Amino acid sequence: FSTLDVPGSTKTEAYGISGNNIVGYFQDAGGTHGFLYNGSTFTTLNVPGATQTYANGVSGNTVVGYCQLAGTYRGFVYDSGMYTTNFTYPGAIDTHFWSVSGSNIAGYTSIGSFIYNGTTYTNFTVPGSYRTTALGIAASGVVGFYTTNSSDQQHGFLYSGGTTTRL
């Protein structure tokens, strides 16, 4: 095991890995920031204008996550030192980008989970679920958890090829 602590942080959480790149978020006296760790150096990720930044997924050099802008959470992409921000799922108040595989991003909103391919959002929910939360994406599909009622009892799922398998 290796401990990851961003220097000067009071809390560090890692959420995604691709090769030597690890992403997550940390808290310090200045607030909540994303990070990218390449095996030797931490890079702080702060979406311009955001009050909080969370990095959750990485594929190669592409980092995805969400940030708080003007009181709502919106997805962002960080690639080669540049931020693309303000991604909002149509009709949703908050949008959380959680993982990335190639050009596909998986995430969730209050109205369901989605796959975003750079131009189009494809919404999906586990049939009969109260809430569906997508957390991981790969060529084989999307994984996450769903709840069957408001008591938040959670179950796993795999969404692949338009079919949902309950785990």
Side-chain angles (χ1 to χ4, degrees), residues 101 137-143 158-161:
S101 178
I137 189 168
S140 56
V142 177
V143 296
L158 165 66
Y159 177 78
S160 181

Side-chain angles (χ1 to χ4, degrees), residues 28-115:
D28 64 11
T32 302
H33 321 273
F35 72 83
L36 170 62
Y37 179 67
N38 67 7
S40 61
T41 304
F42 285 96
T43 299
T44 299
L45 303 176
N46 286 313
V47 172
T51 56
Q52 301 174 22
T53 300
Y54 299 85
N56 299 313
V58 59
S59 179
N61 293 318
T62 303
V63 176
V64 299
Y66 62 94
C67 61
Q68 188 174 33
L69 285 166
T72 63
Y73 290 104
R74 300 177 186 179
F76 77 86
V77 175
Y78 175 83
D79 193 0
S80 303
M82 302 293 295
Y83 292 95
T84 307
T85 61
N86 218 13
F87 290 98
T88 304
Y89 183 89
I93 295 171
D94 294 324
T95 301
H96 298 85
F97 281 4
W98 203 265
S99 62
V100 58
S101 178
S103 62
N104 291 315
I105 298 170
Y108 62 92
T109 70
S110 60
I111 57 177
S113 288
F114 60 82
I115 300 169

Side-chain angles (χ1 to χ4, degrees), residues 6-22:
V6 175
S9 68
T10 58
K11 177 181 185 175
T12 300
E13 293 188 13
Y15 282 96
I17 186 168
S18 178
N20 289 331
N21 291 327
I22 298 172

Side-chain angles (χ1 to χ4, degrees), residues 138-161:
S140 56
V142 177
V143 296
F145 68 89
Y146 69 96
T147 58
T148 54
N149 57 42
S150 61
S151 68
D152 263 356
Q153 184 179 14
Q154 299 173 348
H155 310 276
F157 75 85
L158 165 66
Y159 177 78
S160 181

